[in-house]
Amino acid sequence: MASNEELFKKIISHAKEYGFVFQSSELYDGLSAVYDYGPFGVELKNNIREYWWKSMVQYHENIVGIDAAIFMHPTVWKASGHVDAFNDPMIDNKDSKKRYRADVLIEDHIQKIEDKINKEVEKAKGRFGETFDEKMFRETNPRVKENLDKIDAIKNRFYPALDRNDLADVKTLIEELGIVCPISGTRNWTEVRQFNLMFSTQMGSVNEDANEIYLRPETAQGIFVNFLNVQKTARMKIPFGIAQTGKAFRNEIVARQFLFRMREFEQMEIQFFVRPGEELKWYEYWKEERLKWHLSLGMPSSKYRFHNHEKLAHYANAAADIEFEFPIGFKEIEGIHSRTDFDLSAHQKFSGKKIQYFDTEMNEGYVPYVVETSIGLDRTFLAVLSHAYREEKLEDGSERVVLGIPAKLAPIKVAVLPLIKKDGLPEKAREIMDKLMYDHRCFYEEKDTIGRRYRRMDALGTPFCITIDHQTLQDNTVTIRDRDTMLQERIAVPEVSAVVTSKIAK
Ligand code: ATP
């Protein structure tokens, strides 16, 4: 079994070799943390986006969508707090010249202590068996207690230091904890500095009247500034949601993890507007609903967990991440935030225009509260791809690489393959392809042996291959091969489309 790091490398090279993901501007040696989706990647990405849109917009009467522009008035980012506070504390190691997020270094250190505690608990579980009382053990075992105290001490020092913007103290803490650079192994650190993650550019043709504007760092603000437009034109009644998918840009300090942390990425968001005082109820509701959505993709529940935030962003009164177990460990895939009325109130203040909703049932006007669910499309793509990647040893001793992508998300649903390239089989296959392509995303291939073509389709995650052979010419039937079981059955040509539809729906 490959180590996780090796596995991650294999997935990245598979993604490139099979036309899923390329490094941006590869021809010029690449642009760091920016990626392009290839012919099969774009299909998978579109399918995930469409699945999300259907489940959130089409299946919810009280959610409507928008597509706001990436450029927005610069004051939007002043109001939202991004100009003043969308910073990450960064620190450089002078020996390796590598840059890190100071908060991530400390959080990773805490995680290591937590791993020690979990190991201790696992060991004790094995020793005591059925009678093991985990809660009691965590409270009383001296080694566990000592480590828990250590974590508390770090948090009690670190979070207040960040709140005070006392970066010197964050640096001292890194030194006191003995945190070393993973590359150079040294503690030769620079000072900690704040770094704003927004990209800016100039709008306007003449320098003098050009305005500095930003590439949006999140899609949410496009929804907030359109709150009244949407509420009025679509006649929405609270509680209701506005959905949006689209690009966001962040000049990330540490961007070394393939699609996990990109400088240009795509978000899929719902801002769900509720009555003041009801936000925490809806926050719990959406936490549960969103986890259900993830599970409906077909990945096991053991791959997911919640991480409730202790340190809340300036706009939130409750926040949690849904984390997924990537090959690089459990990491955030989606954020769920109770954002209070922070954003709408801020836009009301900065624009000088009233943003209120009149609740006819309560006979009262108010600034709505909002619960946000924000999921990364690229991170979801990475989750699906990395979970799907399998290397299998077959009974005949050969090996295959297969992407077990759930059929509903697979880039290509059906491969249409004439067994050989003569005897009228390609002509018959083309005839089938010409009809089937209006129902399903199909792929026609006649080059190479049938075995090699099956392997290639396995590697692309194509769930079904139909093969046109000599019998097809006699009785108008084809074989349909299942990617996962590799079993084949014969079906009549006119039934192919319906059979594929029902298999995808399973
Ligand atoms: P992180 O803590 O990992 O930087 P975040 O908490 O800043 O993420 P949010 O602002 O909550 O992220 O954004 C919502 C979602 O957008 C995240 O859950 C993630 O899936 C996605 N996302 C955020 N930043 C990136 C990025 N640099 N590359 C890819 N996806 C991202």
Side-chain angles (χ1 to χ4, degrees):
M1 185 61 198
S3 77
N4 282 347
E5 207 170 306
E6 269 173 59
L7 176 67
F8 198 45
K9 279 193 189 142
K10 281 185 180 179
I11 292 166
I12 295 170
S13 61
H14 188 89
K16 178 177 174 198
E17 189 183 341
Y18 285 91
F20 282 82
V21 181
F22 310 123
Q23 170 88 63
S24 159
S25 322
E26 196 191 71
L27 199 61
Y28 293 94
D29 298 331
L31 186 65
S32 164
V34 186
Y35 291 92
D36 298 339
Y37 287 85
F40 303 103
V42 69
E43 299 283 349
L44 174 56
K45 191 179 174 197
N46 286 345
N47 291 345
I48 296 171
R49 192 194 297 103
E50 191 184 307
Y51 183 69
W52 180 89
W53 189 268
K54 268 201 173 152
S55 357
M56 302 309 290
V57 182
Q58 186 174 330
Y59 302 161
H60 286 94
E61 258 183 74
N62 60 352
I63 298 181
V64 288
I66 62 163
D67 181 17
I70 286 168
F71 291 143
M72 301 182 74
H73 193 286
T75 311
V76 167
W77 305 110
K78 197 77 195 136
S80 68
H82 283 81
V83 172
D84 297 320
F86 196 51
N87 300 320
D88 277 340
M90 68 177 186
I91 187 166
D92 293 5
N93 184 271
K94 292 182 194 162
D95 298 318
S96 66
K97 308 264 181 291
K98 288 278 175 203
R99 179 160 288 177
Y100 298 91
R101 266 170 62 178
D103 54 331
V104 171
L105 286 179
I106 292 172
E107 271 155 16
D108 283 352
H109 185 82
I110 293 175
Q111 185 61 47
K112 276 190 197 140
I113 306 177
E114 266 167 11
D115 289 347
K116 269 192 206 159
I117 297 175
N118 290 338
K119 250 195 205 143
E120 202 78 52
V121 172
E122 282 310 309
K123 250 188 3 212
K125 222 183 236 170
R127 256 199 332 267
F128 292 108
E130 297 260 296
T131 58
F132 182 61
D133 181 343
E134 183 171 330
K135 188 164 173 282
M136 170 97 128
F137 181 80
R138 281 181 183 272
E139 282 164 8
T140 52
N141 180 279
R143 268 193 306 270
V144 170
K145 244 192 103 358
E146 191 187 317
N147 278 325
L148 283 174
D149 290 345
K150 265 191 207 163
I151 293 177
D152 280 346
I154 298 172
K155 286 182 177 170
N156 288 337
R157 167 100 176 269
F158 171 49
Y159 293 138
L162 274 189
D163 285 342
R164 291 195 310 274
N165 205 18
D166 185 350
L167 300 179
D169 198 36
V170 174
K171 157 113 193 254
T172 314
L173 182 61
I174 289 176
E175 283 170 346
E176 282 176 17
L177 294 173
I179 295 176
V180 298
C181 162
I183 309 283
S184 66
T186 72
R187 299 175 192 179
N188 194 6
W189 297 110
T190 61
E191 297 306 308
V192 177
R193 276 168 299 160
Q194 288 289 14
F195 179 77
N196 193 293
L197 301 185
M198 281 199 294
F199 285 99
S200 68
T201 186
Q202 303 290 320
M203 182 177 260
S205 52
V206 192
N207 254 357
E208 297 87 73
D209 54 45
N211 267 325
E212 184 180 33
I213 57 162
Y214 300 100
L215 274 71
R216 66 179 178 201
E218 61 174 26
T219 51
Q221 298 305 325
I223 296 180
F224 296 134
V225 299
N226 275 301
F227 170 78
L228 285 180
N229 286 338
V230 175
Q231 189 267 319
K232 288 190 174 139
T233 54
R235 298 161 171 249
M236 304 308 286
K237 278 211 165 85
I238 275 183
F240 76 91
I242 304 179
Q244 174 166 224
T245 71
K247 289 268 171 117
F249 304 83
R250 295 182 188 177
N251 200 359
E252 298 279 5
I253 298 172
V254 184
R256 296 191 263 273
Q257 291 162 322
F258 192 43
L259 303 182
F260 183 78
R261 193 169 295 289
M262 301 153 87
R263 295 201 164 102
E264 173 178 342
F265 59 98
E266 196 163 336
Q267 294 184 313
M268 307 191 286
E269 292 196 334
I270 301 283
Q271 303 297 332
F272 196 77
F273 299 94
V274 302
R275 283 181 181 161
E278 293 191 355
E279 72 278 8
L280 293 178
K281 179 184 91 184
W282 284 106
Y283 165 74
E284 292 302 331
Y285 171 84
W286 280 112
K287 264 176 83 174
E288 214 170 289
E289 280 300 298
R290 292 303 305 148
L291 184 62
K292 273 194 221 153
W293 182 87
H294 282 275
L295 295 176
S296 77
L297 293 178
M299 289 180 282
S301 60
S302 59
K303 286 264 170 188
Y304 295 93
R305 69 181 189 197
F306 279 114
H307 168 238
N308 295 316
H309 288 205
E310 287 172 43
K311 182 176 167 9
L312 296 171
H314 57 282
Y315 52 74
N317 69 357
D321 301 331
I322 296 179
E323 295 186 336
F324 180 80
E325 190 176 17
F326 293 97
I328 47 175
F330 268 103
K331 304 255 179 212
E332 170 177 347
I333 190 165
E334 172 158 5
I336 297 152
H337 306 121
S338 172
R339 288 179 83 125
T340 67
D341 61 350
F342 175 85
D343 301 274
L344 291 185
S345 294
H347 289 307
Q348 190 167 248
K349 187 170 137 214
F350 277 78
S351 68
K353 295 189 186 112
K354 204 166 159 187
I355 307 181
Q356 285 234 333
Y357 171 82
F358 188 80
D359 194 320
T360 45
E361 271 173 45
M362 290 171 67
N363 202 22
E364 186 184 317
Y366 51 78
V367 178
Y369 272 48
V370 68
V371 175
E372 162 186 88
T373 72
S374 177
I375 172 174
L377 176 51
D378 313 271
R379 283 190 193 175
T380 311
F381 181 102
L382 182 60
V384 171
L385 185 71
S386 51
H387 181 67
Y389 182 90
R390 295 199 298 265
E391 291 168 7
E392 285 181 358
K393 232 188 166 65
L394 304 179
E395 273 172 17
D396 64 3
S398 64
E399 285 178 15
R400 71 165 182 164
V401 172
V402 54
L403 291 184
I405 300 172
K408 61 181 174 240
L409 300 179
I412 306 290
K413 307 292 190 230
V414 198
V416 179
L417 313 172
L419 182 63
I420 49 171
K421 219 169 143 181
K422 51 183 187 182
D423 301 343
L425 299 186
E427 289 76 8
K428 179 68 185 169
R430 280 265 170 229
E431 196 186 292
I432 295 172
M433 171 82 185
D434 284 348
K435 287 209 182 98
L436 202 56
M437 68 188 202
Y438 291 100
D439 299 335
H440 301 286
R441 180 70 173 92
C442 299
F443 193 85
Y444 178 87
E445 196 159 47
E446 56 184 33
K447 202 170 144 260
D448 290 332
T449 64
I450 192 73
R452 288 184 72 153
R453 279 179 279 161
Y454 284 155
R455 287 289 167 277
R456 184 168 147 70
M457 287 302 134
D458 291 342
L460 289 175
T462 306
F464 310 109
C465 290
I466 61 164
T467 305
I468 290 81
D469 54 18
H470 293 92
Q471 194 181 327
T472 312
L473 302 180
Q474 285 158 16
D475 63 7
N476 208 28
T477 62
V478 289
T479 61
I480 180 163
R481 171 188 181 269
D482 181 285
R483 173 195 67 202
D484 299 323
T485 62
M486 291 185 285
L487 296 176
Q488 302 187 22
E489 51 181 316
R490 269 206 108 79
I491 57 172
V493 168
E495 282 165 24
V496 170
S497 181
V499 169
V500 169
T501 303
S502 82
K503 282 179 187 283
I504 291 172
K506 262 188 200 158

